[in-house]
Amino acid sequence: MFKGGKITQGDQNIPQVANHGLLKYPFRLNFYDEPPLFDVTIEEFETCALDRLRILAEIESSAARNRSWEETKAVTSAQCSKYLPLSPTLSKFADRDGERKRDHLSHFVLRLAFCRSEDLRRRFVKAESTLFKTRYDDDISGERENFLNSRNFNWILVDQEEHTKFSTELIAAYQGPKGETDRVSERYYKVKWTRVPDLVEKRKVFLKGGWAYVPHREQSSIVFQEFEAHLEKALEMTARLLPRLDEDTRLVPILNNLSQGSLAGISSEWANASGSTNGAEIRAEMVDNLAKKHFPLCMRTLHDSLQRDNHLKHFGRLQYGLFLKVLGLSIEEAIAFWRKSFSRMTDDKFNKEYKYNIRHSYGLEGKRANYAAKSCLQLLTPGSSSDHGCPYRTYSPENLQSTLLSSYSYLGLGSADLPEIMATVKAGHYHVACTRVFELTHASSGVSRGQGIGEGESVTHPNQYAAKSMELQKAKENAMEVE
């Protein structure tokens, strides 16, 4: 349980400090001044943070793909509605306090995860600021104004006398609507120029004596800068206090996984995929054709190695086998597929050394666990070798480019597309590179640049990639039948 910044076990009889039912969250917007002072289970501690991390990871992906602000805002809003919705204050039917409680908790959990290094803090501030800006723009104007009035931003409203004194300069610097009435009647706020460096750089404000005269239409710049400065200080303070948590064996693994999660995004419904998710059973003889049309590069390279060598190492077999299992390959078809693939060995050797492991991965042997397929995050974890990890991470630039062309050139990927893909690989955004390959190879199915797997979402799981590819082909075939 999370109580006043501490985690306690749910079955301990500890008096509750605050009843969240009595707490009020009057605004959708939040500067997160106070830590959560309510009980929460360790499960909720992690799941809330994962939901927020999915949003922040997609924000980072948008930056890596050079999306415009409007595109980034649309993707972020869609992710928020899906994972961390915040209803307006005037909403009568939504659980307003419950939604804002989850938002509050998730922010502070990720603070713990991302305060550990300067690079993590920088990335967290950048992503959280984008999330705040999106919510600020989407907020109802009246509710946003109430939020601004609830805080002291240390700005000085320029009075009429000063406005008249500098009217010529203010009108000259004004970059709003061209109407003379708007220029003259615009309200202005006076702040130290160091608080609005973005407006100074773009020459959107009048400067006098170290003060910047900010028009009301640019008021948000002050708010955003204040949010970033406030969060940067809070993260530095959290980093100094973090060593106190090092002895808590329940939290440290969770926080480590959260900080690593932004490398490959956090998969949503695919996170615990352990059974068929495409609604159709796959037969053994179909796998080769599916691999050539629908598999991501990690699974495509495993399939090609298997066909070439009639063998895969243990972890490669495990990774590929679980992928095929979730794709819809039954245990009977799986045994048939692997037996045919291992054509150089005798039936006796296959039954003794490999058949048990295949049945084990389907939960039919050993402890009979229904194992999930590996996500992009797991494939990117250090330790994954070049033959069963993520090719975008493990392959050399030359090898990666030749592999991409040999695997996907007939699906629409050309040599002219490689520089963009390799730039994202060099920057460490491997799942962004994979997403761009998906867009290029599915352009004939109507997938446009920036659309990703859908609604701008990036690839975060090999099965997500394959299932969406197969879904697009099915829709294309249905449309052709109708025509």
Side-chain angles (χ1 to χ4, degrees):
M1 304 287 282
F2 190 78
K3 181 193 291 260
K6 298 181 180 179
I7 297 290
T8 60
Q9 293 290 359
D11 56 355
Q12 291 180 344
N13 186 18
I14 299 177
Q16 188 169 335
V17 173
N19 183 350
H20 181 69
L22 301 177
L23 298 179
K24 299 297 180 183
Y25 290 85
F27 312 110
R28 291 177 72 243
L29 300 174
N30 196 340
F31 265 51
Y32 308 101
D33 301 296
E34 300 293 335
L37 299 175
F38 47 81
D39 291 354
V40 61
T41 64
I42 292 181
E43 180 182 2
E44 187 179 3
F45 177 90
E46 183 175 17
T47 55
C48 284
L50 283 172
D51 284 341
R52 192 182 197 91
L53 187 55
R54 292 184 180 109
I55 300 171
L56 300 188
E58 205 57 58
I59 288 174
E60 283 202 327
S61 295
S62 294
R65 303 176 72 179
N66 295 317
R67 282 177 172 146
S68 67
W69 166 243
E70 290 302 322
E71 291 172 332
T72 299
K73 180 181 171 182
V75 171
T76 304
S77 296
Q79 293 292 98
C80 287
S81 298
K82 189 174 182 180
Y83 298 114
L84 210 61
L86 288 179
S87 302
T89 303
L90 298 178
S91 176
K92 296 181 180 180
F93 303 104
D95 181 12
R96 183 200 63 185
D97 281 344
E99 291 175 348
R100 297 176 187 183
K101 171 188 172 183
R102 293 186 75 250
D103 175 70
H104 189 200
L105 172 63
S106 64
H107 172 86
F108 275 90
V109 176
L110 291 189
R111 269 196 197 181
L112 294 175
F114 281 81
C115 72
R116 301 170 168 220
S117 70
E118 184 177 348
D119 178 61
L120 287 175
R121 290 195 292 270
R122 176 185 55 79
R123 291 171 56 191
F124 184 65
V125 169
K126 187 175 181 180
E128 278 284 337
S129 297
T130 301
L131 175 59
F132 181 84
K133 291 175 184 178
T134 300
R135 289 173 169 174
Y136 185 93
D137 285 356
D138 288 343
D139 205 9
I140 298 173
S141 59
E143 295 186 11
R144 181 171 60 220
E145 196 69 25
N146 290 337
F147 167 76
L148 296 178
N149 292 334
S150 71
R151 299 187 61 86
N152 180 13
F153 287 95
N154 293 316
W155 53 44
I156 302 172
L157 183 63
V158 176
D159 58 28
Q160 186 60 45
E161 180 181 352
E162 193 171 10
H163 190 291
T164 302
K165 180 180 179 181
F166 297 116
S167 60
T168 302
E169 293 85 349
L170 294 175
I171 291 175
Y174 185 77
Q175 297 185 19
K178 299 302 182 181
E180 190 65 28
T181 302
D182 295 319
R183 297 186 183 190
V184 174
S185 61
E186 180 81 39
R187 283 183 294 165
Y188 285 84
Y189 303 90
K190 192 166 64 172
V191 296
K192 291 295 182 181
W193 72 269
T194 53
R195 293 183 58 188
V196 284
D198 57 326
L199 298 182
V200 174
E201 180 185 9
K202 297 175 183 177
R203 300 186 178 185
K204 288 188 173 183
V205 291
F206 164 60
L207 301 177
K208 181 69 175 180
W211 294 95
Y213 289 72
V214 182
H216 179 73
R217 62 181 289 104
E218 303 292 349
Q219 181 186 38
S220 59
S221 291
I222 306 175
V223 180
F224 299 157
Q225 192 274 345
E226 187 76 9
F227 179 85
E228 290 187 13
H230 179 82
L231 183 54
E232 287 171 356
K233 292 179 181 178
L235 285 169
E236 292 174 0
M237 182 179 297
T238 305
R240 290 196 294 268
L241 299 175
L242 190 65
R244 299 182 185 180
L245 288 176
D246 286 346
E247 297 180 359
D248 195 320
T249 57
R250 299 161 300 170
L251 289 190
V252 173
I254 294 176
L255 298 177
N256 287 337
N257 289 335
L258 289 171
S259 61
Q260 293 173 3
S262 59
L263 292 175
I266 297 297
S267 53
S268 52
E269 66 269 20
W270 301 98
N272 298 306
S274 57
S276 176
T277 53
N278 70 338
E281 184 175 339
I282 306 299
R283 298 190 304 277
E285 62 269 21
M286 297 168 57
V287 174
D288 188 59
N289 187 50
L290 292 174
K292 294 175 181 178
K293 292 182 178 180
H294 304 296
F295 287 8
L297 191 61
C298 55
M299 298 303 158
R300 178 65 188 273
T301 53
L302 284 174
H303 180 81
D304 290 346
S305 296
L306 178 61
Q307 298 304 303
R308 181 186 66 245
D309 304 329
N310 297 118
H311 191 268
L312 276 179
K313 295 180 180 179
H314 171 72
F315 288 108
R317 295 196 307 273
L318 178 63
Q319 176 180 314
Y320 192 41
L322 292 174
F323 168 80
L324 293 175
K325 166 193 166 186
V326 173
L327 200 64
L329 195 68
S330 66
I331 179 61
E332 295 80 9
E333 294 295 326
I335 293 174
F337 169 77
W338 288 104
R339 180 64 193 97
K340 181 181 178 181
S341 299
F342 288 178
S343 58
R344 297 180 185 177
M345 67 179 62
T346 64
D347 288 342
D348 185 58
K349 181 179 176 65
F350 176 80
N351 290 333
K352 286 183 178 180
E353 299 182 17
Y354 297 97
K355 189 173 181 179
Y356 175 88
N357 288 334
I358 297 171
R359 290 177 53 81
H360 187 276
S361 66
Y362 277 75
L364 301 176
E365 301 288 356
K367 64 179 181 180
R368 301 183 182 276
N370 195 12
Y371 296 98
K374 304 296 182 183
S375 67
C376 292
L377 176 58
Q378 291 170 307
L379 301 187
L380 283 167
T381 302
S384 295
S385 66
S386 59
D387 63 341
H388 61 268
C390 174
Y392 296 98
R393 177 179 179 270
T394 58
Y395 280 24
S396 67
E398 296 76 14
N399 190 16
L400 177 59
Q401 292 181 76
S402 62
T403 303
L404 283 170
L405 288 177
S406 63
S407 301
Y408 297 116
S409 59
Y410 60 90
L411 293 177
L413 187 146
S415 56
D417 301 312
L418 294 179
E420 179 186 3
I421 296 170
M422 297 309 296
T424 56
V425 171
K426 185 177 180 180
H429 301 292
Y430 308 113
H431 66 305
V432 175
C434 186
T435 304
R436 183 59 185 141
V437 169
F438 180 91
E439 292 173 347
L440 290 166
T441 55
H442 292 82
S444 62
S445 297
V447 178
S448 58
R449 182 185 182 87
Q451 186 175 339
I453 298 296
E455 297 182 342
E457 193 169 344
S458 301
V459 174
T460 56
H461 199 293
N463 284 94
Q464 176 195 31
Y465 183 113
K468 184 62 176 181
S469 178
M470 295 165 67
E471 177 187 323
L472 288 171
Q473 181 184 357
K474 186 176 181 180
K476 186 177 180 180
E477 291 173 350
N478 291 340
M480 292 177 64
E481 289 180 4
V482 171
E483 291 178 1

